[in-house]
Amino acid sequence: MTVDTYRPRRSVLYIPASNDKALAKLASFACDAIIIDLEDAVLPADKPAARDKIAGILAGPERRCEMVVRINPLASEWGADDLLAVAGAEPDGILLPKIGTPRDILEAGDLLDDNFAPDSVKLWAMVETPKALLNIGAIAELGRDPVSRLACFVAGTNDLVKSTGILATSDRRYLMPWLMQLVLAARAGGLDVIDGVANDFRDLDALARECAEAAAMGFDGKSLIHPNQIEPANRAFSPSPERLAAARAIRDAFARPENAGKSVIAMDGRMVERLHLAEAEKLLAKAAAVRA
């Protein structure tokens, strides 16, 4: 994603489409994005009714944050109907679960195109299966083609643990290689990438540690299951004062007349290149977007 189109996704809160109490508070949540969930959080018997509520939810008060809907897998009995109904309500994004290959993204995009969904409706993809991880490079390449609509990856860490049988430790040591692989693929495809959920919503210290680690790994934000997790996520994925000060110093140094046209300058005993200037400008733009 370019600096000009940067959209903060530090905190991405799941809300079940069947949870009327939580839905009534949508406008009060200080998260960057909300995922209205039609999949795991909704019982099979309730799925059609939950789907029917989406248009009303999205037509509510003016959207304060990005609104995304997670549908059921397209291969399920609800998936195709979910996709078309949700697309008609024009959310900012549709989150596809259980993807495995690029074809899963392309088929969803074709359905949206065939039913005249506006280009503003983007596709997000849950990476939660071994097959998806094995194909992640090819899937991420779709991010370079606007026609695909693909904008963001979301790590499905609980499903990855379940499907692989790895031990779920508090430090996520066995997940780390796959999470780093996911970040690498997302960057290759120009996509945003969101870390998986922290299951114990009462342990905010553990959440803060996961958020700090995820930010250090290069994730853009954290998916959340409780409003109390929003503030720690926003804090962890916002540029620190120290990083902002360093970025401003680099920007200001290159702006000096004596450095005009230079590709490399000396600053505080180290060499600074224009790639560092680009990184600084991107960080400053992110900070401005967070404050807006």
Side-chain angles (χ1 to χ4, degrees):
M1 182 171 291
T2 66
V3 171
D4 292 339
T5 60
Y6 175 73
R7 191 169 195 174
R9 288 167 176 154
R10 302 165 298 169
S11 49
V12 181
L13 178 65
Y14 285 104
I15 297 179
S18 55
N19 189 337
D20 292 333
K21 183 177 179 181
L23 291 171
K25 300 177 183 179
L26 282 183
S28 68
F29 297 137
C31 49
D32 290 333
I34 288 173
I35 296 175
I36 305 299
D37 191 16
L38 294 174
E39 193 209 12
D40 286 346
V42 180
L43 293 171
D46 298 331
K47 289 184 184 293
R51 178 198 305 138
D52 291 342
K53 293 165 59 177
I54 292 299
I57 294 169
L58 296 179
E62 183 179 354
R63 298 178 190 172
R64 297 184 63 254
C65 66
E66 196 169 12
M67 297 294 291
V68 179
V69 180
R70 180 166 71 171
I71 65 172
N72 288 281
L74 284 181
S76 72
E77 62 184 282
W78 309 284
D81 289 338
D82 283 354
L83 183 68
L84 297 182
V86 169
E90 298 188 13
D92 296 300
I94 297 174
L95 178 55
L96 304 174
K98 305 297 188 295
I99 65 158
T101 69
R103 174 51 52 188
D104 297 323
I105 308 296
L106 295 172
E107 287 180 354
D110 287 345
L111 278 171
L112 294 178
D113 293 342
D114 291 345
N115 287 273
F116 307 104
D119 293 340
S120 60
V121 179
K122 302 302 181 183
L123 291 174
W124 292 26
M126 291 288 301
V127 180
E128 54 188 339
T129 68
K131 188 174 184 178
L133 279 173
L134 288 174
N135 292 314
I136 197 63
I139 296 170
E141 277 299 305
L142 295 176
R144 295 295 179 185
D145 183 0
V147 174
S148 77
R149 299 176 184 255
L150 185 60
C152 187
F153 282 150
V154 180
T157 46
N158 284 335
D159 280 274
L160 283 173
V161 168
K162 177 183 176 182
S163 60
T164 59
I166 65 169
L167 182 64
T169 60
S170 59
D171 61 4
R172 304 200 297 176
R173 71 185 71 174
Y174 303 115
L175 275 170
M176 287 295 184
W178 299 334
L179 295 176
M180 291 300 299
Q181 182 182 2
L182 180 55
V183 171
L184 188 66
R187 296 298 170 245
L191 302 167
D192 274 4
V193 57
I194 309 300
D195 190 18
V197 300
N199 295 313
D200 188 350
F201 60 83
R202 295 164 297 185
D203 191 344
L204 296 183
D205 289 336
L207 170 74
R209 288 193 298 271
E210 280 195 17
C211 287
E213 290 170 351
M217 285 190 284
F219 280 92
D220 295 287
K222 182 82 168 168
S223 47
L224 313 172
I225 57 174
H226 193 279
N228 287 347
Q229 297 177 317
I230 295 172
E231 193 278 331
N234 283 346
R235 184 173 64 250
F237 290 97
S238 295
S240 68
E242 294 78 13
R243 291 185 66 201
L244 289 175
R248 293 189 191 98
I250 291 174
R251 179 196 61 190
D252 295 345
F254 272 101
R256 295 182 189 128
E258 64 269 25
N259 292 328
K262 290 184 179 180
S263 58
V264 181
I265 62 174
M267 273 187 66
D268 301 322
R270 65 189 182 97
M271 302 305 293
V272 180
E273 303 177 51
R274 287 203 170 265
L275 67 88
H276 298 118
L277 174 62
E279 291 174 351
E281 291 174 336
K282 183 176 182 179
L283 187 71
L284 293 171
K286 285 185 177 183
V290 166
R291 291 194 301 268

